[in-house]
């Protein structure tokens, strides 16, 4: 049913950083609780996220990196005839890699990818399926002149579901070749051409072919008007694996704009807007979503160890999926403390 809900979301975010010799360690802990009121449909929800990053420099050319992320959330909706349906799940993502820099003209990153998602077995979750990701990613950059660089990235991820006999896995392959340069006006331009391939194991999904080869492009232009104002524009056409249903992917076409400004008295403004058009494949009928995001954030540094910020964000999703339409207005106020 149509509903209008108001939510208050207090958030605590703690970031720790430790630097010692060749080691650099950072940890971030975030907790958020959503209080819903003036409605009979939505339950209160909480969210805990921890992430850490460790980087050890062996020498001027080699370094080892490790990152992990752990999410735990609970909450959901009691409508759509799903009483007591809480979207409880654990989400763990981890990856390790080696960074190699042969010279100023060539760099290579090799990363191993591991991730899992586990839903609470005692709750009935819409489209909730346990899965595990395993794969690797290779990123390279090489240049012939300082003002121009070429990029090549390759990612291979194999997703297996817990009920493999019912839901066979899917392999996602992404390869891209790009070009990046800095113009005389200090404008940065980056263009990429990408291949997205989906290989479905076992019986293929309904209304789909066995494998998919899809091609996308993306472009980013970053222009500094001055030392205090910078504008970033981007456009993209890409393919992603969806979490709305198992083995479902979509074509995402859109663009974004971001503006950053520094003013007197240590005041900073960030404003952004983004539009996405999502076209889902693998369905009997054509399903689409149109998503608009926009907002701004203003921050001020009060002391060397404290700054405050406030912002507004707008989100509008017009979807062919039932009960997925949503329009929200969010206001935020935060205070950040930086301890030595």
């Amino acid at each position: 049913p149509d509903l209008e809900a108001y939510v208050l979301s207090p958030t605590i975010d703690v970031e720790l950083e430790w630097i010692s010799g060749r080691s650099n360690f950072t940890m971030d802990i975030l907790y958020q609780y959503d209080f819903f009121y003036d409605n009979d449909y939505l339950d209160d929800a909480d969210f805990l996220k921890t992430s850490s990053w460790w980087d050890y420099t062996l020498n001027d050319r080699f370094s080892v990196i490790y990152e992990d992320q752990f999410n735990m959330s609970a909450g959901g909706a009691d409508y759509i005839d799903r009483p007591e349906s809480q979207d409880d799940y654990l989400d763990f993502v981890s990856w390790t890699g080696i960074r190699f820099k042969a010279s100023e003209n060539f760099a290579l990153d090799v990363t191993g990818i591991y991730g899992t998602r586990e839903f609470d077995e005692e709750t009935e979750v819409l489209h909730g399926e346990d899965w595990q990701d395993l794969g690797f990613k290779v990123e390279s950059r090489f240049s012939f002149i300082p003002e121009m660089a070429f990029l090549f990235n390759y990612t291979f991820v194999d997703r297996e579901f817990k009920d493999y006999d019912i839901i066979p896995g899917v392999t996602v392959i992404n390869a891209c070749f790009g070009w990046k340069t800095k113009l005389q006006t200090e404008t940065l331009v980056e263009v990429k051409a990408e291949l997205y391939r989906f290989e479905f194991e076992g019986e293929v999904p309904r209304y789909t072919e066995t494998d998919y080869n899809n091609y996308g492009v993306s472009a980013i232009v970053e222009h500094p008007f001055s030392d205090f104002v910078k504008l970033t524009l981007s456009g993209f056409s890409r393919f992603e694996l969806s979490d709305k249903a198992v083995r479902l992917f979509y074509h995402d076409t859109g663009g974004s704009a971001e503006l950053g400004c520094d003013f007197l008295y240590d005041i900073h403004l960030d404003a952004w807007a983004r539009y996405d058009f999502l076209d889902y494949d693998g369905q009997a009928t054509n399903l689409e979503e149109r998503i608009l995001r926009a907002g701004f954030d203003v921050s001020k540094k009060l002391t060397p160890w404290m700054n405050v910020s406030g912002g507004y964000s707008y989100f509008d999703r017009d979807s062919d999926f039932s009960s997925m339409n949503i329009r929200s207005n969010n206001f935020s106020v935060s205070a950040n403390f930086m301890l030595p």
Side-chain angles (χ1 to χ4, degrees):
D2 294 334
L3 62 91
E4 182 175 310
Y6 298 90
V7 58
L8 177 64
S9 303
T11 303
I12 300 176
D13 190 358
V14 179
E15 182 175 338
L16 306 174
E17 184 175 9
W18 176 71
I19 301 176
S20 177
R22 296 176 179 267
S23 294
N24 183 10
F25 177 78
T26 301
M27 173 175 283
D28 185 75
I29 304 173
L30 184 146
Y31 179 78
Q32 177 177 313
Y33 197 96
D34 296 332
F35 294 97
F36 291 93
Y37 56 97
D38 286 348
N39 76 90
D40 298 324
Y41 300 100
L42 299 176
D43 300 326
D44 292 346
D46 60 352
F47 176 84
L48 175 66
K49 173 183 177 182
T50 66
S51 61
S52 60
W53 169 283
W54 177 72
D55 189 334
Y56 182 79
T57 302
L58 298 173
N59 52 49
D60 293 338
R61 294 188 176 184
F62 284 96
S63 62
V64 179
I65 53 179
Y66 170 78
E67 182 178 17
D68 68 80
Q69 178 176 301
F70 174 79
N71 299 330
M72 182 172 63
S73 66
D78 285 340
Y79 56 92
I80 324 177
D81 296 326
R82 292 193 295 137
E84 304 300 330
S85 61
Q86 301 289 319
D87 291 342
D88 300 351
Y89 68 87
L90 305 178
D91 186 8
F92 177 75
V93 178
S94 175
W95 58 270
T96 59
I98 296 177
R99 178 173 298 144
F100 170 69
K101 185 177 181 181
S103 65
E104 293 297 330
N105 299 325
F106 178 76
L108 177 70
D109 287 1
V110 180
T111 304
I113 301 172
Y114 173 76
T116 63
R117 170 167 290 188
E118 298 180 5
F119 287 89
D120 190 339
E121 296 181 355
E122 298 180 357
T123 60
E124 182 181 354
V125 182
L126 185 65
H127 302 316
E129 297 291 344
D130 296 350
W131 51 256
Q132 173 180 289
D133 283 349
L134 186 64
F136 65 90
K137 183 176 183 178
V138 178
E139 300 177 278
S140 63
R141 176 187 59 82
F142 53 95
S143 61
F144 302 105
I145 57 177
E147 294 81 10
M148 183 180 300
F150 294 93
L151 314 170
F152 176 76
N153 302 333
Y154 181 85
T155 304
F156 177 95
V157 176
D158 187 51
R159 174 168 294 186
E160 299 289 349
F161 295 91
K162 181 178 180 180
D163 297 326
Y164 182 81
D165 294 336
I166 303 176
I167 310 172
V170 56
T171 298
V172 181
I173 299 173
N174 172 232
C176 79
F177 180 79
W179 166 74
K180 185 176 183 178
T181 186
K182 177 184 284 189
L183 306 179
Q184 293 183 350
T185 57
E186 297 299 317
T187 302
L188 289 176
V189 179
E190 180 178 304
V191 179
K192 291 182 180 179
E194 303 192 55
L195 164 69
Y196 302 85
R197 180 173 175 82
F198 301 89
E199 298 179 353
F200 300 102
E201 301 177 10
E203 185 179 352
V204 300
R206 292 179 302 168
Y207 321 114
T208 67
E209 300 174 0
T210 303
D211 300 326
Y212 275 86
N213 283 328
N214 303 285
Y215 303 94
V217 295
S218 64
I220 300 176
V221 178
E222 183 180 294
H223 177 69
F225 289 96
S226 66
D227 293 337
F228 309 103
V229 181
K230 182 175 69 175
L231 176 66
T232 303
L233 302 175
S234 68
F236 49 83
S237 175
R238 60 194 179 201
F239 294 81
E240 300 288 348
L241 195 65
S242 173
D243 288 333
K244 295 186 183 298
V246 295
R247 308 208 307 173
L248 173 68
F249 65 93
Y250 59 86
H251 183 196
D252 183 5
T253 306
S256 66
E258 300 179 16
L259 179 67
C261 302
D262 290 320
F263 300 98
L264 297 176
Y265 309 108
D266 292 324
I267 297 176
H268 181 77
L269 168 68
D270 286 314
W272 66 90
R274 171 171 169 166
Y275 177 80
D276 293 81
F277 177 76
L278 278 56
D279 184 8
Y280 288 83
D281 290 325
Q283 299 295 307
T285 58
N286 187 38
L287 295 175
E288 299 174 348
E289 285 187 334
R290 291 149 292 276
I291 301 176
L292 175 63
R293 304 176 179 90
F296 67 88
D297 184 81
V298 179
S299 62
K300 176 175 173 55
K301 188 173 184 180
L302 297 180
T303 68
W305 51 270
M306 177 183 178
N307 63 47
V308 295
S309 63
Y312 165 79
S313 63
Y314 174 81
F315 180 87
D316 186 0
R317 178 169 58 203
D318 180 14
S319 175
D320 292 339
F321 287 92
S322 60
S323 304
M324 293 299 292
N325 292 333
I326 187 172
R327 180 178 299 167
S328 66
N329 297 272
N330 299 299
F331 300 88
S332 63
V333 177
S334 65
N336 302 312
F337 301 90
M338 293 156 285
L339 303 180

